[in-house]
Amino acid sequence: MKLIHAALIATATIATTAGQAYAADELPLAKAKNCMSCHTVDKKLVGPGYKEVAAKYKDDKAAPAKLAAKIKGGGKGAWGEIPMPPNNVTEAEAKRLADWVLSLK
């Protein structure tokens, strides 16, 4: 019983650590793609802070695909009148960035 309990704790710790590392790993991509010119992680700049985006979409199962599409193609209206222009990212990069934003808390 103790062995099972220890294994569950170790698995949870690894999963938590992996999630945190994954989130941190995409910051260089966001910087390289100029996302950080209009966004920050934790406060509004031109666009919303990424933590605010994550909170808004936390219960939306379709959020990863929606955000990836907005990152790639741009958008308007979800956060006010200032539009987000299309970004020069691949589909894979847009998905990575969307997953990263949604992982922030």
Side-chain angles (χ1 to χ4, degrees):
M1 184 69 155
K2 287 183 181 181
L3 183 59
I4 293 171
H5 183 53
L8 289 173
I9 290 173
T11 301
T13 302
I14 290 168
T16 301
T17 303
Q20 290 169 346
Y22 178 77
D25 289 344
E26 300 306 338
L27 183 58
L29 177 61
K31 288 179 180 178
K33 296 299 178 173
N34 294 319
C35 303
M36 306 312 282
S37 296
C38 295
H39 298 278
T40 70
V41 171
D42 57 2
K43 65 182 178 195
K44 179 177 174 47
L45 192 57
V46 174
Y50 288 144
K51 289 182 180 183
E52 186 179 5
V53 174
K56 179 176 182 174
Y57 292 104
K58 71 179 176 144
D59 295 323
D60 185 347
K61 300 297 182 200
K66 284 183 202 175
L67 290 180
K70 284 184 180 186
I71 290 167
K72 183 149 180 66
K76 182 179 179 189
W79 296 93
E81 292 301 311
I82 300 172
M84 184 171 94
N87 292 283
N88 186 20
V89 295
T90 65
E91 296 287 334
E93 289 169 333
K95 182 177 180 346
R96 284 173 47 201
L97 288 165
D99 289 345
W100 170 64
V101 168
L102 293 169
S103 76
L104 299 172
K105 294 184 174 38

